[in-house]
């Protein structure tokens, strides 16, 4: 199953890379990136996340269009023998996502952005069903200000978003204000993410980040808790807050890599029933997340 979806991922990426724009297009850009992250301990569970994503950006005179396809694999190793036996169907889960986003530019540096993001989140232990599908998306309004020299001065954005960033899917507000202190320093204050960024030079950036991270996966296989209660289409929910540092290095015009380490004070990994009621928790202990990523600009 994993080989099949890896093949679909790269086939979809190839189709997007071959897409052609209209005669009014002023810029096309295609990016592919991969990420690998390890959580040292979440209770008695060690977790790794592997993902790959392809983005195609098309910029017109006053509009911006984005298409994206993504694939992720979350792996878990249960150190407790009992948990390993009961939850072996949860050792691997997969996410396949598609995204279409449209941004319209208005006068006075205002813009409006709408995205539609269907996803498949499943362990793929049985055939797909409606519980494996989720429809996410966002609506955002933005404004930016420039200096008299047309350099970036500040940016503001607010709106609504629906996804699994906080674990089970919810609708939440998005708000951010970014101020460019000078060509080297800028900071973003907002919800759900905030950051401070410093450009060492044109090829190196170091950032301090804080924000949530989560996912929500359907498990169509039947699990039995304590040998008594059995559940099908249960959900595996992970949610956390991370505080960390990230270093980004641009090798040339195409290749960029990043490395980061974060402190995760209170991660939660839970199994829920079909009504999102908790049926098992793997405990909560502080953890560290180590992540590595590579990005390649195709054109």
């Amino acid at each position: 199953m994993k080989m099949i979806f890896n093949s679909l991922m790269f086939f979809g990426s190839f189709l997007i890379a071959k897409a052609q724009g209209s005669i009014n297009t002023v810029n096309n850009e295609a990016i592919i990136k991969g990420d690998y992250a390890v959580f040292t301990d979440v209770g008695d569970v060690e977790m790794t996340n592997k993902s790959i994503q392809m983005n195609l950006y098309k910029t017109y005179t006053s509009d911006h269009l984005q298409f994206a396809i993504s694939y992720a694999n979350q792996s878990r190793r249960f150190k407790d023998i009992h948990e390993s036996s009961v939850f072996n169907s949860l050792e691997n889960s997969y996410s396949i996502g598609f995204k279409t986003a449209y941004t319209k530019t208005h006068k006075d540096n205002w813009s409006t952005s709408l995205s539609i993001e269907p996803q498949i989140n499943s362990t793929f232990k049985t055939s797909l069903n409606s519980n494996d599908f989720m429809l996410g998306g966002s609506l955002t309004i933005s404004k930016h200000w420039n200096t008299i020299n047309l350099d970036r001065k500040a940016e503001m954005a607010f709106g609504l978003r629906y996804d699994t960033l906080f674990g089970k899917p919810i609708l939440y507000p998005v708000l951010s204000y970014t101020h460019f202190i000078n060509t080297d320093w800028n900071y973003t204050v907002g919800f759900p993410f905030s950051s401070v960024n410093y450009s060492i030079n044109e090829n190196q950036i170091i950032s301090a980040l804080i924000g949530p991270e989560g996912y929500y996966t359907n498990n169509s296989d039947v699990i039995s808790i304590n040998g008594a209660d059995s559940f099908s289409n249960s959900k595996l929910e992970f949610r956390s807050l991370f505080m960390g540092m990230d270093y980004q290095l641009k090798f040339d015009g195409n290749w960029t890599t990043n490395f980061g380490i974060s402190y995760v004070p209170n991660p939660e990994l839970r199994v829920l029933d079909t009504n999102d009621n908790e049926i098992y928790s793997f405990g909560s202990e502080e953890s560290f997340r180590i992540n590595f990523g590579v990005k390649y600009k195709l054109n």
Side-chain angles (χ1 to χ4, degrees):
M1 179 64 71
K2 184 176 180 180
M3 291 180 63
I4 292 174
F5 280 101
N6 268 312
S7 300
L8 288 174
M9 174 63 197
F10 283 106
F11 178 69
S13 300
F14 174 79
L15 291 179
I16 293 176
K18 290 295 184 179
Q20 300 295 318
S22 73
I23 59 175
N24 295 320
T25 300
V26 295
N27 184 45
N28 288 338
E29 183 177 338
I31 294 173
I32 186 168
K33 60 181 181 179
D35 291 284
Y36 180 85
V38 176
F39 288 81
T40 55
D41 286 291
V42 180
D44 288 325
V45 185
E46 183 178 283
M47 303 195 317
T48 60
N49 296 340
K50 301 176 284 292
S51 66
I52 185 169
Q53 180 171 326
M54 170 76 182
N55 291 279
L56 174 65
Y57 302 93
K58 301 174 75 65
T59 303
Y60 302 87
T61 303
S62 60
D63 306 326
H64 182 85
L65 194 61
Q66 178 189 2
F67 299 100
I69 182 171
S70 61
Y71 167 83
N73 166 227
Q74 296 94 23
S75 301
R76 287 158 287 273
R77 184 171 69 88
F78 301 99
K79 299 178 183 179
D80 183 273
I81 296 177
H82 171 71
E83 291 177 345
S84 178
S85 174
V86 174
F87 300 108
N88 62 84
S89 60
L90 298 175
E91 289 180 347
N92 284 281
S93 59
Y94 307 89
S95 298
I96 300 173
F98 304 90
K99 177 180 179 179
T100 301
Y102 174 72
T103 301
K104 175 69 175 179
T105 302
H106 309 286
K107 63 180 182 179
D108 298 326
N109 296 326
W110 286 92
S111 62
T112 305
S113 180
L114 174 67
S115 74
I116 300 174
E117 304 172 35
Q119 291 182 349
I120 300 173
N121 298 316
S122 177
T123 58
F124 292 120
K125 291 299 181 180
T126 64
S127 58
L128 289 174
N129 62 65
S130 60
N131 293 282
D132 297 311
F133 292 86
M134 188 203 81
L135 181 62
S138 64
L139 175 63
T140 308
I141 299 173
S142 306
K143 180 175 174 61
H144 71 269
W145 294 266
N146 296 328
T147 65
I148 57 175
N149 298 321
L150 298 181
D151 294 326
R152 291 184 300 176
K153 181 180 180 180
E155 297 174 356
M156 176 189 68
F158 59 93
L160 293 171
R161 183 167 181 81
Y162 182 83
D163 63 14
T164 60
L165 184 64
F166 292 90
K168 62 183 179 182
I170 61 170
L171 180 69
Y172 59 90
V174 175
L175 176 65
S176 69
Y177 174 77
T178 301
H179 180 68
F180 299 90
I181 302 172
N182 51 44
T183 57
D184 297 328
W185 286 94
N186 69 80
Y187 65 85
T188 297
V189 178
F191 180 86
F193 297 104
S194 296
S195 66
V196 177
N197 307 286
Y198 172 66
S199 297
I200 302 173
N201 52 48
E202 62 181 9
N203 295 320
Q204 299 180 81
I205 300 174
I206 187 168
S207 304
L209 310 165
I210 182 170
E213 181 174 353
Y215 59 77
Y216 181 83
T217 299
N218 183 61
N219 180 29
S220 55
D221 199 19
V222 177
I223 59 174
S224 178
I225 307 296
N226 299 322
D229 299 323
S230 295
F231 301 88
S232 61
N233 289 312
S234 59
K235 317 296 180 182
L236 181 67
E237 179 194 44
F238 174 71
R239 56 187 182 185
S240 67
L241 175 72
F242 69 87
M243 299 176 286
M245 301 292 294
D246 188 82
Y247 170 74
Q248 178 178 294
L249 173 63
K250 185 177 181 181
F251 289 103
D252 54 32
N254 298 101
W255 287 98
T256 303
T257 186
N258 71 282
F259 173 80
I261 184 168
S262 302
Y263 173 64
V264 186
N266 191 33
E268 293 184 64
L269 185 64
R270 306 188 301 162
V271 180
L272 312 176
D273 64 17
T274 55
N275 296 314
D276 289 331
N277 299 309
E278 180 181 310
I279 57 178
Y280 192 86
S281 174
F282 293 94
S284 179
E285 298 178 4
E286 62 181 6
S287 178
F288 287 91
R289 185 190 67 170
I290 302 170
N291 64 280
F292 173 77
V294 177
K295 180 172 68 176
Y296 181 70
K297 185 178 178 181
L298 295 175
N299 58 342

